[in-house]
Amino acid sequence: MAVKFSGCLRGVSALSILSLLCLCGCAPTPVENKNSVVIWHWMTDRQPAFEELSRRYEELTGVRVTFELYAPSDAYSQKIRAAAQSVSLPDIFGILGEKRDFSSFVKAGHVLNITPYMSADSGKWKNVFFSKALAVNEFSSDNTYGVTPGIYGVPIDITTIQMVYNKKLLKQIGGNPNRPPATLEEFLALGPKIKASGIQGLVSGWGEVWMIDCMANNYAFNVMGKDKVLATIRGDVPYTDPDWIKVFEIFNQMQNSGVLANGLVTMVNKNAEQLFANEKAVFAFNGSWCVNVYKGMNPGLEFGAMLPPTVSSRYPMVIWGGAGSSFMVNARSPRKEEAVKFLRWLTDREQQVFLAEITLNLPANKDSLKKISDVLAQFADDIETSTHPNVWGVSEFPAVVEALDKGIQSIVIGEKTSAQVAEEVQKIKQRELSKKNNK
Amino acid sequence: MRIKSTLENYLFVLPAVTIFLIFYLIPFIWVFQLGMYEWDGILPTKTFVGLSNFKEVLTQDNIWWLSMWNAGYITLIAIIFQNAMAFMLAMACDREIKMKNFFRLVFFIPPVLSEVVVGLVWQWILDGNYGLLNAWLLKMGLPHLVKNWLSDPQTALTTVAVVHCWKGFGWGFLIFLAGLQTIPRELYEAARVDGANAWASFKNITLPLMIPVAILVAILTVLGTMQAFVLIIAMTGGGPAYHTQVPVLRILASMRGSSRFGYACAQGIVFGVVLIIISFVQYRFSKRSRQY
Amino acid sequence: MKSDKYYRGKKVAVNVIVYAFLIAVALTCIFPLLWMFSSSLKTQETIFRDMSLIPREFHFENYVLAWKQGGFGRNFFNSIVYTSVVVLGIVVVSSLAAYAFSRFTFPGRNLIFYMFMAAMMIPIPGSFVPLYVLLNKLHLRNTAIGYILCMINVGLSTSIFLLKTFFDKMPKELEDAARIDGCSKLGIWRHVALPLAKPVLAVVVVLNALNVWNEYVLALIIFDSKPLMPLQVALMTFQGEFITRYPLLMAGLTITALPIILVYIFMQKYIVKGVTQGALVG
């Protein structure tokens, strides 16, 4: 026993020496190059492309830009918040979250107001972008967050969230591969045929509730128009309004007709993508990044993009779009001028085209659309008719959003009716409103 | 002399206490007092709200208590099913059987595997449409047992609990095995000489000596399972509706989804208090049973 | 009187049942490992279409790719260092404390022990943020020692609890004998208590090694420079925001699983008594 332990002791001392060497070797703070700009991001897929761009920039200007990757996005989010708390954010970073979080960062003084740079030269930089892309990074003059109006972020790409369909499978169930269902009725009619053929209908990441929220919101806009939806968020219209019940009913109808995939309510988006890529599902509700994903898993997949089938023609069907990844400049950084200059270069046409080609994401720069693939172009076409919660100027209470999304899940699994869900959501809305008014 | 001896005693616990004070207590106090504020985690200003967060958790937050109930259900299944299995497997491996080392190695694989792999594999097995389990059930001629295991509200929670047991039994197995090994063999020898059969020596030697270990495993199981969430996110996302929602997921939702950091801290404190109460009860029970 | 054959038959039957049970459980445990390994040999396109356990083509280059692209060399070394130092730290610190809680009496003993127990039960949500701020103040942010100290703290409570339970069970005769021989408290701890507690220590080692080896969130938050990151963080690069490169991820996960399995195999020997001592029991 004693022998074993002296052997252990030897191992222990070896390790301690090793670790001490290690600790000495890694100095806690490397000498900071006064010219180097540090960017923290979470976009794993783009790290090689970013590194190439940073190399080109250094050749061009002599300024060193370092892209540091911290993935997955959840952990990145926590890192940013921790760094914000100890006021040690890097020169450029991204804020993952909703407009409300964005506004808090701005109010805490972490984000540089880049309106002066954007508007210089009669808005030369500003005009390079899709208006929607800029809108999500902007706080308008009547925003309810209490933020000084202005532009605070630079979009470097955009995404839209729509539906895609498998051309071959659609033909198989009797549809027209070049003309996907445009109205809800046509869509629901396909339900029985889908069930009979043994394949799945619509797949989507509804286990990650925000996707349900997106589709519910799309249909809300279609059923009652933008103004009424925003009025509901402000609290002027209750969720028990017949129009809202109609929106909830749509999900019930979809489930009853058989057009939704089995197990949709707990499906993770990555799973949904696998199913669609492997031709086991006819429709998918996903974002424009899916083009890249499907290509990776099944290069021969023939598919097209479509809008969610409309339920009424009174108001337009509006999808979510415009928001993608954005970078913000640290207001306290000693290198903010350099940082802004780099972001300006990054969003120039040439760099955006490069990024779009390599990573198959939609560029934020409107002049860069020429060289993208067909399907991606279909997504891009619908950008201008899109909307996004981050541009409305008001946010719904998270508790209400959660109740709504989980409520729709309950409808799909047959546990609650649309009327019940509407009542529950409204109850929570009133509770939140009274909390807010009591402050 | 006395003082010197007492000082020596303190020295033994000094390193542990120092590290604990700095790296646990200070963050804990920060979080604890944060439960009394309404804060989104980013703004430099916080609003003091006294005990209203705690009141909200205890009286208004139905989903919180639903998640506690769910976690309790999973934990109950773990205590019974998982630990029984771990104990039986440890007993089986304690004997002289062939391939003992192989089994010991294999049973520890589930805890070693990353949650990513476990989530993916079980999702694939349990998938309602293309999963291995359903395919197998069909082949065995049991089509009425085929279910959408992870999305059917009636089976989702139990399915998640079973996967948790699968991942966790390796720990119980290890600790039980260590415990069984510390029972002196001479006791069994003496019993056999006295004419006792297998069941009698189990009842009179193994069981009493293993009770403290069993309690230890039970406490650790409760703590571990009540706090589980990674696998659940990977398999069901907390759904369908709220059927597989657990407390840690609620805390995360408050922190990230609603940006209510203060409220999340209050939830965490309430959670901790409940766990303390449960563990205290278990510990007292063990003290009493040790007076055999 | 029941015949010999009855007893032998019964023994065989019991053995068969025991074996069947063991093998069934073992199969469910091996299956994911095999799936992980076989997936690592497929390609991104075939990984979900080719459902068989034995891939049609063997792409061993995935491992080389994963190693290079994940930057595994440096991070692998880091993980080994962190895990070893943390485990060593926990073993020493917690066994000292647990021994004291079990054998000594001093004012405040129970209080301090219950404090550690309580720490096990109260998870601190979002504890990463205050830890980060704390490390920043101590100028330990982005340093190996800062991470190591945090990780030692994480495993302390459970380890102390495990060790104290076993120390309590231990018979005191050997320690008393050593004390009469004039051994100091530290000496008794080192020469008598620790060797007797080998099985439990092995469990503590495995438990904490696994925790540290698989940890990545705290590492990601505390470290800013890639050369300091442990392996798990490097592994995350395969789990992209939109695209997960599954075969490479599986290869990476297989590589990551191996050292821990080795640690377990090594530690197992301490948990199990030698064959000679167990051979007397049927």
Side-chain angles (χ1 to χ4, degrees):
Chain A
M1 283 186 301
V3 177
K4 277 221 175 71
F5 260 88
S6 72
C8 265
L9 269 177
R10 245 178 273 145
V12 163
S13 16
L15 269 174
S16 326
I17 299 179
L18 208 76
S19 43
L20 274 172
L21 278 176
C22 213
L23 298 176
C24 296
C26 335
T29 37
V31 174
E32 280 176 14
N33 185 352
K34 279 304 163 201
N35 262 345
S36 105
V37 172
V38 177
I39 306 184
W40 286 3
H41 75 103
W42 64 98
M43 299 170 248
T44 329
D45 316 321
R46 285 177 242 193
Q47 178 69 2
F50 280 152
E51 281 174 2
E52 167 63 22
L53 284 176
S54 118
R55 197 190 54 80
R56 291 188 194 174
Y57 191 70
E58 191 172 357
E59 260 177 37
L60 203 63
T61 61
V63 173
R64 189 121 184 268
V65 174
T66 326
F67 279 92
E68 286 179 16
L69 169 67
Y70 301 103
S73 42
D74 272 343
Y76 176 84
S77 224
Q78 291 205 44
K79 189 174 175 80
I80 290 290
R81 274 156 177 71
Q85 275 300 298
S86 51
V87 196
S88 49
L89 285 165
D91 305 308
I92 298 180
F93 60 97
I95 298 175
L96 296 174
E98 300 172 32
K99 209 64 184 282
R100 210 178 319 116
D101 301 327
F102 192 4
S103 70
S104 296
F105 270 87
V106 174
K107 286 194 276 193
H110 297 303
V111 185
L112 184 67
N113 187 339
I114 49 178
T115 328
Y117 302 95
M118 286 265 172
S119 319
D121 282 336
S122 40
K124 188 149 165 244
W125 193 13
K126 195 163 144 184
N127 291 331
V128 136
F129 298 108
F130 287 102
S131 59
K132 288 285 158 34
L134 211 50
V136 301
N137 289 297
E138 196 176 351
F139 286 94
S140 57
S141 43
D142 57 347
N143 76 80
T144 56
Y145 305 101
V147 171
T148 317
I151 304 177
Y152 289 90
V154 180
I156 59 167
D157 72 28
I158 51 177
T159 58
T160 63
I161 315 230
Q162 326 180 200
M163 275 174 63
V164 285
Y165 67 98
N166 184 318
K167 292 194 178 166
K168 196 171 71 180
L169 291 178
L170 184 59
K171 189 155 159 211
Q172 203 179 314
I173 56 171
N176 181 344
N178 295 322
R179 201 191 145 296
T183 67
L184 191 65
E185 282 162 62
E186 290 172 35
F187 188 51
L188 294 175
L190 291 171
K193 296 191 200 144
I194 292 177
K195 276 280 176 280
S197 66
I199 49 177
Q200 299 302 314
L202 176 72
V203 290
S204 183
W206 283 8
E208 303 166 47
V209 281
W210 72 270
M211 288 208 129
I212 300 185
D213 199 54
C214 180
M215 190 180 243
N217 189 268
N218 295 158
Y219 276 109
F221 269 64
N222 185 227
V223 166
M224 61 186 93
K226 174 174 172 186
D227 292 331
K228 194 160 174 186
V229 174
L230 293 188
T232 319
I233 296 181
R234 277 194 293 271
D236 302 328
V237 173
Y239 279 99
T240 42
D241 188 287
D243 274 342
W244 276 105
I245 300 194
K246 199 162 157 200
V247 173
F248 297 138
E249 257 312 285
I250 294 176
F251 288 93
N252 197 18
Q253 290 172 316
M254 286 200 276
Q255 173 63 14
N256 290 339
S257 74
V259 87
L260 298 180
N262 267 344
L264 185 53
V265 288
T266 49
M267 207 178 268
V268 180
N269 204 27
K270 290 217 156 94
N271 243 15
E273 287 167 351
Q274 282 164 35
L275 285 171
F276 189 78
N278 290 324
E279 309 212 62
K280 296 208 169 89
V282 189
F283 299 102
F285 184 67
N286 206 349
S288 46
W289 61 79
C290 68
V291 176
N292 207 5
V293 175
Y294 299 146
K295 175 165 163 263
M297 288 203 235
N298 185 357
L301 187 69
E302 284 175 21
F303 65 106
M306 60 185 266
L307 289 176
T310 58
V311 77
S312 125
S313 47
R314 214 163 130 223
Y315 296 100
M317 168 60 76
V318 182
I319 53 171
W320 280 12
S325 316
S326 310
F327 279 142
M328 288 80 182
V329 178
N330 183 356
R332 297 194 174 91
S333 154
R335 283 172 288 279
K336 45 183 189 245
E337 291 296 328
E338 288 299 334
V340 175
K341 274 201 210 124
F342 177 71
L343 287 177
R344 178 95 191 238
W345 180 81
L346 190 64
T347 49
D348 260 346
R349 188 162 68 89
E350 199 180 317
Q351 281 67 251
Q352 286 280 295
V353 169
F354 175 73
L355 277 175
E357 273 179 337
I358 299 227
T359 62
L360 287 186
N361 290 296
L362 290 170
N365 183 323
K366 10 179 230 231
D367 299 320
S368 320
L369 282 178
K370 284 182 205 115
K371 291 198 198 160
I372 58 180
S373 74
D374 278 337
V375 188
L376 209 53
Q378 288 178 25
F379 277 92
D381 277 342
D382 300 311
I383 284 272
E384 287 304 325
T385 54
S386 66
T387 183
H388 193 273
N390 286 1
V391 309
W392 298 336
V394 285
S395 295
E396 180 58 282
F397 297 107
V400 177
V401 172
E402 188 185 36
L404 192 136
D405 300 337
K406 296 280 188 184
I408 293 182
Q409 277 185 337
S410 303
I411 293 178
V412 171
I413 56 178
E415 274 189 347
K416 297 204 176 117
T417 67
S418 310
Q420 279 174 315
V421 170
E423 253 183 70
E424 283 176 14
V425 175
Q426 184 55 23
K427 225 172 38 175
I428 298 199
K429 176 76 185 241
Q430 271 161 343
R431 195 187 72 188
E432 295 291 311
L433 276 175
S434 61
K435 257 201 280 185
K436 185 170 152 196
N437 291 336
N438 283 344
K439 280 206 188 134
Chain B
M1 261 311 277
R2 266 293 183 80
I3 301 180
K4 177 166 179 260
S5 177
T6 319
L7 271 177
E8 274 177 357
N9 294 346
Y10 277 119
L11 271 178
F12 268 71
V13 297
L14 189 65
V17 172
T18 318
I19 296 185
F20 181 77
L21 276 176
I22 302 180
F23 292 96
Y24 181 86
L25 215 55
I26 295 184
F28 177 74
I29 294 178
W30 191 79
V31 166
F32 188 76
Q33 50 91 34
L34 214 55
M36 296 193 277
Y37 287 86
E38 193 64 51
W39 186 47
D40 68 351
I42 312 167
L43 282 174
T45 55
K46 320 178 179 110
T47 345
F48 184 74
V49 290
L51 294 173
S52 78
N53 279 341
F54 291 98
K55 207 172 82 170
E56 188 178 335
V57 175
L58 289 171
T59 56
Q60 281 187 338
D61 202 341
N62 296 330
I63 304 172
W64 170 257
W65 293 108
L66 176 63
S67 72
M68 289 287 259
W69 196 94
N70 286 343
Y73 178 77
I74 299 181
T75 308
L76 201 64
I77 293 198
I79 296 188
I80 300 177
F81 183 52
Q82 175 182 318
N83 287 343
M85 201 163 81
F87 189 65
M88 287 195 290
L89 289 169
M91 290 277 314
C93 280
D94 191 36
R95 317 161 78 198
E96 280 307 310
I97 52 171
K98 302 193 182 69
M99 304 213 301
K100 198 162 45 164
N101 288 325
F102 170 74
F103 284 124
R104 275 198 219 115
L105 174 63
V106 162
F107 292 148
F108 202 67
I109 290 182
V112 164
L113 288 178
S114 93
E115 249 108 14
V116 174
V117 176
V118 175
L120 277 176
V121 172
W122 280 100
Q123 247 185 350
W124 183 54
I125 295 178
L126 295 167
D127 186 78
N129 304 316
Y130 306 104
L132 213 59
L133 181 61
N134 283 346
W136 194 64
L137 283 172
L138 280 174
K139 239 192 259 178
M140 298 241 297
L142 298 165
H144 53 278
L145 279 183
V146 167
K147 285 194 192 300
N148 218 326
W149 302 99
L150 288 173
S151 357
D152 189 332
Q154 291 179 329
T155 57
L157 193 59
T158 318
T159 312
V160 161
V162 169
V163 179
H164 259 292
C165 286
W166 177 85
K167 187 155 204 298
F169 84 86
W171 288 115
F173 169 72
L174 200 64
I175 300 182
F176 278 131
L177 195 63
L180 283 172
Q181 292 291 307
T182 59
I183 299 180
R185 292 299 180 210
E186 296 77 44
L187 289 177
Y188 289 117
E189 256 306 296
R192 210 163 64 148
V193 164
D194 278 348
N197 65 5
W199 173 247
S201 53
F202 175 75
K203 202 173 69 157
N204 297 321
I205 302 177
T206 320
L207 212 50
L209 285 176
M210 285 302 278
I211 285 189
V213 181
I215 303 278
L216 170 75
V217 172
I219 294 184
L220 289 179
T221 307
V222 166
L223 291 177
T225 321
M226 287 293 284
Q227 297 183 34
F229 70 100
V230 184
L231 264 185
I232 299 185
I233 292 186
M235 290 196 293
T236 59
Y242 290 111
H243 285 278
T244 57
Q245 202 64 217
V246 285
V248 180
L249 281 185
R250 295 315 302 158
I251 296 180
L252 285 179
S254 302
M255 266 207 312
R256 307 210 193 126
S258 325
S259 289
R260 291 183 68 193
F261 210 83
Y263 186 67
C265 292
Q267 284 176 316
I269 303 281
V270 169
F271 189 44
V273 169
V274 171
L275 286 180
I276 290 184
I277 295 178
I278 299 179
S279 306
F280 188 66
V281 167
Q282 283 179 301
Y283 200 61
R284 290 301 259 191
F285 181 67
S286 91
K287 275 242 173 93
R288 222 177 306 144
S289 72
R290 245 187 275 156
Q291 280 150 14
Y292 264 104
Chain C
M1 271 292 286
K2 297 191 178 131
S3 68
D4 261 350
K5 244 200 221 156
Y6 172 81
Y7 279 118
R8 226 183 305 138
K10 193 165 121 181
K11 188 161 179 193
V12 168
V14 166
N15 269 349
V16 164
I17 296 181
V18 166
Y19 265 105
F21 178 51
L22 286 174
I23 291 184
V25 176
L27 275 177
T28 65
C29 295
I30 303 188
F31 180 69
L33 194 68
L34 285 180
W35 186 85
M36 182 173 85
F37 184 59
S38 89
S39 299
S40 67
L41 297 174
K42 298 184 185 158
T43 65
Q44 180 79 344
E45 287 150 34
T46 55
I47 190 168
F48 288 111
R49 293 208 275 168
D50 177 9
M51 289 302 203
S52 55
L53 259 186
I54 307 182
R56 262 169 231 151
E57 307 166 331
F58 289 76
H59 290 268
F60 281 107
E61 71 271 11
N62 281 341
Y63 281 88
V64 180
L65 271 174
W67 187 272
K68 281 218 207 102
Q69 286 185 14
F72 273 24
R74 177 70 205 233
N75 302 116
F76 195 83
F77 176 70
N78 285 345
S79 277
I80 293 190
V81 170
Y82 296 148
T83 309
S84 322
V85 177
V86 171
V87 167
L88 186 69
I90 292 184
V91 164
V92 170
V93 172
S94 64
S95 62
L96 280 171
Y99 186 68
F101 288 134
S102 176
R103 295 297 191 233
F104 303 155
T105 46
F106 47 92
R109 178 190 77 164
N110 283 337
L111 178 66
I112 302 181
F113 179 65
Y114 286 137
M115 220 169 52
F116 278 104
M117 293 274 283
M120 242 190 342
M121 300 165 202
I122 308 188
I124 316 181
S127 64
F128 303 122
V129 176
L131 275 176
Y132 187 78
V133 175
L134 183 69
L135 285 178
N136 202 23
K137 290 224 176 81
L138 295 172
H139 296 290
L140 287 177
R141 192 192 103 216
N142 201 23
T143 61
I145 190 102
Y147 182 65
I148 288 176
L149 285 174
C150 283
M151 290 310 287
I152 290 184
N153 172 58
V154 168
L156 216 49
S157 292
T158 316
S159 309
I160 292 183
F161 182 48
L162 274 169
L163 282 166
K164 174 170 185 294
T165 310
F166 278 88
F167 277 142
D168 282 344
K169 259 181 58 174
M170 233 167 50
K172 295 197 187 160
E173 293 81 34
L174 284 170
E175 293 163 68
D176 292 336
R179 201 174 315 129
I180 292 175
D181 278 348
C183 208
S184 73
K185 281 187 201 160
L186 200 63
I188 303 179
W189 169 79
R190 205 184 120 193
H191 294 290
V192 180
L194 282 191
L196 278 179
K198 261 195 279 191
V200 197
L201 282 177
V203 173
V204 167
V205 167
V206 174
L207 176 72
N208 289 301
L210 194 60
N211 279 342
V212 181
W213 187 258
N214 284 339
E215 206 282 326
Y216 80 92
V217 185
L218 194 63
L220 189 130
I221 294 186
I222 293 185
F223 292 124
D224 289 336
S225 52
K226 197 141 188 285
L228 283 177
M229 299 278 197
L231 196 55
Q232 292 290 335
V233 179
L235 209 55
M236 285 302 154
T237 59
F238 297 129
Q239 219 171 2
E241 190 188 5
F242 300 129
I243 299 189
T244 301
R245 284 135 82 197
Y246 285 104
L248 291 181
L249 181 64
M250 291 298 144
L253 285 172
T254 312
I255 298 179
T256 347
L258 288 175
I260 282 293
I261 296 185
L262 283 172
V263 168
Y264 173 70
I265 293 180
F266 183 63
M267 285 292 135
Q268 235 211 110
K269 280 196 293 198
Y270 289 95
I271 301 182
V272 175
K273 286 220 178 94
V275 175
T276 46
Q277 284 172 296
L280 294 171
V281 187

